[in-house]
Amino acid sequence: MEYGRETVIRLTEYEFEEIVQYFRANYGINLQKKKVLVECRMAKELERLKVPSFAEYLRLLRRDRTGDVAAGMVNQLTTNYTYFLREPAHFSLLEQKIYPELFPRKYGPCQIWCAGCATGEECYTLAMSLCDYRESSGMAVNARILATDISEEVLKRAEKGIYPKKEKERLPVSWQEKYCVDMDAGHFCVEEYLKYHIRFLKHNLLAPLPEKQQFDVIFCRNVMIYFDKTVREQLVRRLEDCLKEGGYLFTGHAELLSREETRLEQVYPAVYRKVRTSE
Ligand SMILES: C[S@@+](CC[C@H](N)C(=O)[O-])C[C@H]1O[C@@H](n2cnc3c(N)ncnc32)[C@H](O)[C@@H]1O
């Protein structure tokens, strides 16, 4: 193999199975039907590590003490597709129904967790919707958004908050004007003050958060879709425990939770609420 050309190296069934098991056990993601995708995406990674075969790569992974080999694999094999104002009905619901309910007085603290934030478009959309609500309602909303992902590469991009200009066209014009700053012909960045509301953290959803926290709103959208049933059930339990009473969980529209899967009550499509014990 020549380095620098990203030659695709074929996986044997045995090697592929080892990667599938590793990924499922450590991150919950099921790659069973994605052999070609794994071969193509891992070509870059084998080149980065300068290893000529998957046999050699798997030896490195088994001896990985620093976590660098595993982190590189996560960067390549997670699906990080996202965009601004994805599933816009969720953001309308927040502004019209949920924020007024969460902030009944003039001042309100609000904890939001954006779990599986990818490159940041989702948590910045949340920050924009909060700022917009603050402006329109006159409420002194004190919001904190925790944005987590398992991939270090996407988190670095999220922290920078720089995106191709085309991407901002998904936002209402008034939001483009208020919250986006053009940088050069091809890029814009999000307004610096949006970042004051957000803390980015590398976190694996298979584990509890490092500090015990309870949230008013959790966004965990388009993440569980890659998980097996058992992993998904465990994650839903953990998310339920991280919600305050009366708090809301948002999932992707392709990830609807059945009554058997959750103790939360469904209140809108892909939106669930933790019932207050006093209700
Ligand atoms: C398809 S993106 C969804 C992004 C955003 N939530 C949205 O709906 O547009 C899924 C994200 O979940 C992250 N993810 C997958 N498994 C994870 C895990 N076990 N722990 C934390 N994040 C994970 C991936 O790295 C990826 O960035």
Side-chain angles (χ1 to χ4, degrees):
M1 173 192 166
E2 271 180 55
Y3 296 115
R5 287 198 297 139
E6 280 173 29
T7 316
V8 172
I9 300 172
R10 299 289 161 213
L11 278 159
T12 63
E13 284 311 314
Y14 181 79
E15 291 163 347
F16 178 57
E17 198 46 41
E18 188 169 340
I19 291 182
V20 170
Q21 293 300 341
Y22 184 91
F23 229 66
R24 186 187 282 138
N26 288 284
Y27 313 112
I29 299 171
N30 185 351
L31 296 170
Q32 194 71 63
K33 297 201 174 106
K34 303 199 172 154
K35 187 161 183 243
V36 176
L37 175 140
V38 173
E39 286 173 339
C40 293
R41 291 201 187 165
M42 287 302 287
K44 248 194 212 159
E45 193 52 16
L46 264 61
E47 187 181 323
R48 181 180 79 86
L49 297 167
K50 306 226 177 310
V51 292
S53 65
F54 275 106
E56 182 63 26
Y57 174 80
L58 287 167
R59 267 194 290 278
L60 277 186
L61 185 66
R62 286 181 219 120
R63 291 197 309 255
D64 184 23
R65 297 284 169 263
T66 59
D68 177 61
V69 181
M73 188 186 209
V74 166
N75 288 339
Q76 294 305 330
L77 295 184
T78 49
T79 299
N80 315 115
Y81 179 66
T82 185
Y83 49 90
F84 286 100
L85 207 58
R86 186 174 194 177
E87 304 184 22
H90 278 169
F91 295 94
S92 310
L93 183 72
L94 277 173
E95 288 206 39
Q96 286 160 21
K97 300 241 193 281
I98 297 181
Y99 292 154
E101 185 188 309
L102 290 176
F103 313 120
R105 291 176 296 279
K106 269 279 163 213
Y107 173 85
C110 174
Q111 310 285 345
I112 298 182
W113 180 12
C114 180
C117 65
T119 37
E121 289 87 334
E122 184 172 59
C123 59
Y124 287 124
T125 308
L126 280 165
M128 289 176 197
S129 86
L130 278 157
C131 288
D132 206 59
Y133 179 72
R134 180 160 53 197
E135 197 180 292
S136 62
S137 66
M139 294 281 301
V141 175
N142 174 20
R144 290 270 157 269
I145 302 171
L146 175 67
T148 64
D149 203 283
I150 189 68
S151 160
E152 290 171 7
E153 193 170 289
V154 292
L155 279 173
K156 273 191 211 145
R157 286 167 55 193
E159 272 176 294
K160 284 195 183 127
I162 298 174
Y163 302 96
K165 256 191 191 157
K166 193 108 196 72
E167 292 299 309
K168 73 174 176 180
E169 287 167 17
R170 297 182 186 273
L171 295 168
V173 175
S174 64
W175 286 21
Q176 292 181 32
E177 287 166 358
K178 279 190 276 190
Y179 308 123
C180 305
V181 183
D182 285 344
M183 294 176 70
D184 54 41
H187 297 89
F188 75 96
C189 62
V190 296
E191 267 290 359
E192 206 51 34
Y193 63 79
L194 292 179
K195 295 184 186 169
Y196 299 153
H197 297 280
I198 305 173
R199 179 160 77 99
F200 291 100
L201 182 75
K202 181 179 170 186
H203 172 254
N204 185 348
L205 285 167
L206 264 54
L209 279 171
E211 301 146 28
K212 191 166 163 44
Q213 287 185 65
Q214 294 233 290
F215 297 89
D216 298 284
V217 174
I218 299 177
F219 264 50
C220 185
R221 306 189 310 166
N222 308 300
V223 178
M224 294 183 229
I225 198 167
Y226 304 103
F227 293 170
D228 286 341
K229 194 169 177 285
T230 353
V231 180
R232 184 180 141 122
E233 280 168 4
Q234 286 162 358
L235 174 61
V236 172
R237 283 278 170 273
R238 188 163 305 121
L239 296 176
E240 286 172 359
D241 292 343
C242 289
L243 269 182
K244 291 181 191 169
E245 288 189 4
Y248 290 88
L249 169 67
F250 288 70
T251 68
H253 282 93
E255 302 167 314
L256 302 185
L257 304 176
S258 66
R259 273 174 188 274
E260 293 72 48
E261 270 179 300
T262 183
R263 292 168 290 177
L264 307 176
E265 60 166 354
Q266 179 165 1
V267 282
Y268 298 100
V271 185
Y272 305 83
R273 182 170 173 273
K274 186 164 179 172
V275 179
R276 291 179 202 278
T277 37
S278 57
E279 276 171 14

